[in-house]
Amino acid sequence: MEDAEITLILQKSLSGKVLTTAEIEALLSIKEQSSLEQLFEAAQTVKNNNFNNKVFLYGFVYFSTHCRNNCSFCFYRKSNTDSVRYRKSDEEILELSTSLEDSGVHAVDLTMGEDPIIHNDTHYQKLIDIVTMVNDAVKVPLMVSPGAIPQQLFPTLKEAGADWFACYQETHNIELFQRLRPAQDYEFRLNQKKWARENDILTEEGIMIGVGENVHDRAHSIEVMRSLGVDQVRAMSFVPQNNTPMFSNGPSPFIDELKAIAVMRLVHPQKLIPASLDVEGVAGLKTRLAAGANVITSIIPPCKGLAGVAQHELDIDDGGRSVEQIEAILDEINIKKADKNDYINLVNERKKQPLAEGSL
């Protein structure tokens, strides 16, 4: 597509009009450098108009690497004997969460695989106890990322203190989903976002780039995220993992992730969009922020025995994913870390908003 046509699509988006699927696909398909620059400039404009050049920081506590699932892409899949398994004690989870709050994060993300010990308990009491314990100890909002859970658990999770619920579909191409997440129910996982939001828990949805999807699939996912009415959307590049069925798959060019982030910003102007440290570490932070992201996720304290997800060791124990390191990078590119109260107010305001028309 010619630069002039891309310019018209971007002007349409900047005027607040809804883009068609074909227009979203056109932006995701950009290859010319001049058009890429236009795309990222438009995304920056929209981000700054809505968030005043401020970013939010999320601390990451991956407290169990055990999982009952056998996802084709994941290092922590049940059958991967290369994966180092651990379960953090309550004392360790509490210490990690409070130390992240003290370091200056805006939210703590309590993340786990679908640990059989927790998921085999129909009441999920261990999960509820952990969320309650951390909520009692920290003042920042909590994100909970426990995998797919029963519908009836969401009111209890809300009562325990969960402000956010994250559950990534990875793709909204059902056939591809079934290859990525064998023996898992597409609709049950998709409904996690509906059930959380119905209980006044903010929701995050995400896709993976480079897992066999095409540009139409990416555009479709971006539109589905809009129809879901989620509060945070993300795109993250696939990273091949040892001893998994997809190990031999080459990674997608990172420019594809950057284009997805930029298009998400145009389609979801007021949503939070993460720049994850879990793919390239701090080396990829500037480009993701320049593409329109306004949340920095997977901040992990050094030397605490925690793992990441896509890159389970990258930049962790050397302090590369610490708040101090992130703040130094933000200073270099003249981006401001938001005040904690800014984030708390944003979360509270979002909870008050009704579900968008057309949401599931």
Side-chain angles (χ1 to χ4, degrees):
M1 185 171 285
E2 299 292 332
D3 281 3
E5 295 174 281
I6 294 297
T7 299
L8 289 175
I9 296 172
L10 293 175
Q11 288 174 344
K12 177 182 177 180
S13 177
L14 289 170
S15 71
K17 296 179 181 178
V18 176
L19 298 182
T20 66
T21 302
E23 289 167 335
I24 293 172
E25 287 185 36
L27 295 181
L28 291 170
S29 302
I30 291 173
K31 291 182 173 59
E32 295 296 328
Q33 185 61 35
S34 56
S35 291
L36 283 172
E37 290 173 359
Q38 285 190 72
L39 172 64
F40 296 141
E41 182 178 349
Q44 278 280 21
T45 297
V46 172
K47 180 179 73 170
N48 290 338
N49 285 346
N50 285 280
F51 294 98
N52 297 319
N53 197 35
K54 294 180 180 180
V55 298
F56 307 105
L57 312 183
Y58 288 7
F60 184 76
V61 180
Y62 201 159
F63 63 89
S64 174
T65 60
H66 292 263
C67 191
R68 63 181 179 176
N69 294 324
N70 232 4
C71 299
S72 302
F73 57 88
C74 185
F75 183 67
Y76 299 108
R77 70 196 308 262
K78 176 178 62 177
S79 62
N80 191 354
T81 55
D82 286 354
S83 177
V84 177
R85 307 290 179 179
Y86 66 73
R87 292 184 179 98
K88 295 297 182 183
S89 68
D90 288 356
E91 292 75 16
E92 289 173 307
I93 296 170
L94 195 60
E95 194 275 329
L96 288 162
S97 301
T98 54
S99 66
L100 280 166
E101 180 185 36
D102 291 343
S103 74
V105 300
H106 296 93
V108 171
D109 182 358
L110 298 172
T111 300
M112 55 176 275
E114 290 194 6
D115 188 332
I117 286 182
I118 291 176
H119 280 262
N120 287 349
D121 171 11
T122 56
H123 299 290
Y124 287 76
Q125 193 58 52
K126 180 63 175 174
L127 174 63
I128 297 302
D129 288 346
I130 288 171
V131 175
T132 301
M133 173 187 70
V134 176
N135 184 60
D136 287 344
V138 302
K139 294 183 176 60
V140 295
L142 296 185
M143 177 175 281
V144 183
S145 309
I149 61 175
Q151 180 178 3
Q152 63 268 24
L153 187 63
F154 283 92
T156 309
L157 196 62
K158 167 66 176 177
E159 184 67 24
D163 299 285
W164 284 92
F165 186 87
C167 185
Y168 312 141
Q169 206 75 7
E170 318 300 356
T171 180
H172 298 86
N173 174 327
I174 298 177
E175 181 180 338
L176 178 57
F177 175 91
Q178 291 168 344
R179 295 201 301 270
L180 296 176
R181 294 183 171 275
Q184 296 179 53
D185 188 307
Y186 176 88
E187 292 295 336
F188 181 72
R189 192 170 182 88
L190 191 69
N191 279 334
Q192 300 289 304
K193 277 70 74 166
K194 170 189 174 183
W195 296 333
R197 200 64 186 88
E198 286 175 347
N199 286 279
D200 296 324
I201 302 174
L202 301 183
T203 53
E204 182 184 19
E205 172 68 300
I207 60 172
M208 197 173 291
I209 304 295
V211 289
E213 83 290 355
N214 56 36
V215 170
H216 175 76
D217 293 330
R218 294 173 192 169
H220 175 61
S221 284
I222 290 171
E223 292 190 305
V224 170
M225 291 177 181
R226 180 166 55 194
S227 70
L228 282 170
V230 295
D231 306 279
Q232 185 162 295
V233 295
R234 79 153 66 202
M236 195 165 76
S237 295
F238 165 70
V239 177
Q241 302 294 315
N242 289 334
N243 199 26
T244 64
M246 294 177 65
F247 173 68
S248 60
N249 294 39
S252 178
F254 288 136
I255 189 64
D256 289 344
E257 179 186 333
L258 299 180
K259 287 189 285 187
I261 289 172
V263 176
M264 284 180 175
R265 174 54 64 207
L266 297 178
V267 176
H268 305 276
Q270 296 182 335
K271 305 299 184 183
L272 298 171
I273 301 179
S276 178
L277 301 176
D278 212 34
V279 176
E280 294 182 284
V282 293
L285 179 56
K286 294 179 182 179
T287 53
R288 286 165 174 79
L289 293 175
N294 67 324
V295 177
I296 302 171
T297 65
S298 296
I299 293 173
I300 303 175
C303 304
K304 297 291 187 180
L306 282 174
V309 178
Q311 298 276 29
H312 48 279
E313 296 178 343
L314 181 63
D315 287 345
I316 295 176
D317 280 345
D318 63 359
R321 296 206 213 174
S322 66
V323 171
E324 183 179 22
Q325 178 65 29
I326 299 307
E327 288 181 326
I329 294 173
L330 294 179
D331 286 343
E332 291 176 11
I333 54 179
N334 197 31
I335 291 179
K336 299 177 182 178
K337 173 190 166 187
D339 183 81
K340 280 187 179 180
N341 287 332
D342 290 340
Y343 183 73
I344 291 171
N345 291 337
L346 180 149
V347 168
N348 290 336
E349 285 300 315
R350 295 290 170 93
K351 286 180 180 179
K352 295 176 185 177
Q353 295 177 5
L355 281 172
E357 184 177 350
S359 298
L360 283 178

